[in-house]
């Protein structure tokens, strides 16, 4: 598992995360008899934005017998912006015999929002604030981008014998309120 994370104080422009891969990143998880396995090869999570560049190999495999298996190749979340550029291979494989299998090659999600702290509602005799009204979140809309360059492969594969299988090559989601 590879994790790149960037965080900063609320309401400040901070927290960018980036992953640049020229080699191999892989994750594997398996379970038997009514278990749950989840494999994610690369997680990139930024409070403001998340970026991934891959010209190598990012692969995840999850397997379950009579249970659930979930696999993500690359998983990006950013408040304002999430982008993936791929010139290599991003692959997710999930297999569940008699269970549920779910696989996503590349997932990118962005929901832009800002937080405004509420006003002080309780002051000490010395003028210090000891209580605030609830703050508010303002949604501005996120931006996501996927650029699969020539020669790049993004694949999600799921299989389930006597079960349910669901797979996506890529999910690119930008949300607003």
């Amino acid at each position: 598992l590879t994790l790149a994370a960037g965080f900063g104080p609320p309401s400040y422009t901070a927290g960018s995360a980036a992953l640049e891969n020229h080699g191999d990143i892989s994750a594997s998880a398996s379970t038997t008899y009514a278990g749950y396995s989840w494999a994610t090869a690369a997680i990139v999570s930024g409070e403001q934005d998340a970026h991934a560049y891959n010209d190598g190999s990012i692969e995840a495999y999850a397997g379950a017998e009579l249970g659930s298996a979930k696999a993500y190749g690359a998983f990006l979340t950013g408040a304002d912006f999430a982008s993936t550029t791929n010139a290599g291979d991003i692959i997710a494989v999930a297999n569940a015999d008699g269970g549920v299998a779910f696989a996503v090659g590349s997932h990118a999600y962005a929901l832009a929002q800002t937080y405004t702290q509420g006003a002080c509602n309780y002051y000490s005799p010395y003028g210090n604030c000891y209580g605030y009204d609830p703050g508010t979140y303002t949604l501005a809309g996120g931006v996501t981008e996927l650029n699969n360059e020539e020669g790049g492969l993004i694949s999600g594969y799921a299989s389930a014998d006597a079960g349910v299988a669901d797979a996506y090559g890529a999910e690119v989601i930008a949300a607003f309120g």
Side-chain angles (χ1 to χ4, degrees):
L1 170 68
T2 300
L3 172 65
F7 300 96
S11 73
Y12 289 91
T13 303
S16 292
L19 169 71
E20 185 171 328
N21 178 48
H22 304 287
D24 297 322
I25 299 172
S26 66
S28 178
S30 63
T31 186
T32 59
Y33 197 71
Y36 180 82
S37 65
W38 182 338
T40 304
I43 298 173
V44 184
S45 179
E47 188 176 25
Q48 297 302 315
D49 53 285
H51 305 277
Y53 175 81
N54 176 55
D55 66 7
S57 175
I58 298 175
E59 298 180 10
Y61 170 80
E65 186 176 321
L66 298 174
S68 297
K70 183 185 287 188
Y72 286 95
F75 189 93
L76 282 75
T77 58
D80 295 327
F81 191 72
S83 71
T84 302
T85 301
N86 180 54
D89 296 333
I90 302 175
I91 300 169
V93 176
N95 182 323
D97 293 332
V100 177
F102 181 74
V104 178
S106 176
H107 169 89
Y109 176 80
L111 168 64
Q113 61 183 1
T114 58
Y115 177 75
T116 304
Q117 177 140 352
C120 183
N121 62 18
Y122 175 72
Y123 288 96
S124 74
Y126 305 104
N128 298 323
C129 183
Y130 284 108
Y132 290 92
D133 292 331
T136 58
Y137 285 95
T138 304
L139 299 174
V143 176
T144 57
E145 179 180 276
L146 172 64
N147 180 14
N148 194 35
E149 297 179 352
E150 184 174 340
L153 170 69
I154 299 175
S155 175
Y157 176 78
S159 66
D161 295 333
V164 176
D166 202 3
Y168 299 93
E171 294 177 324
V172 181
I173 304 165
F176 176 78

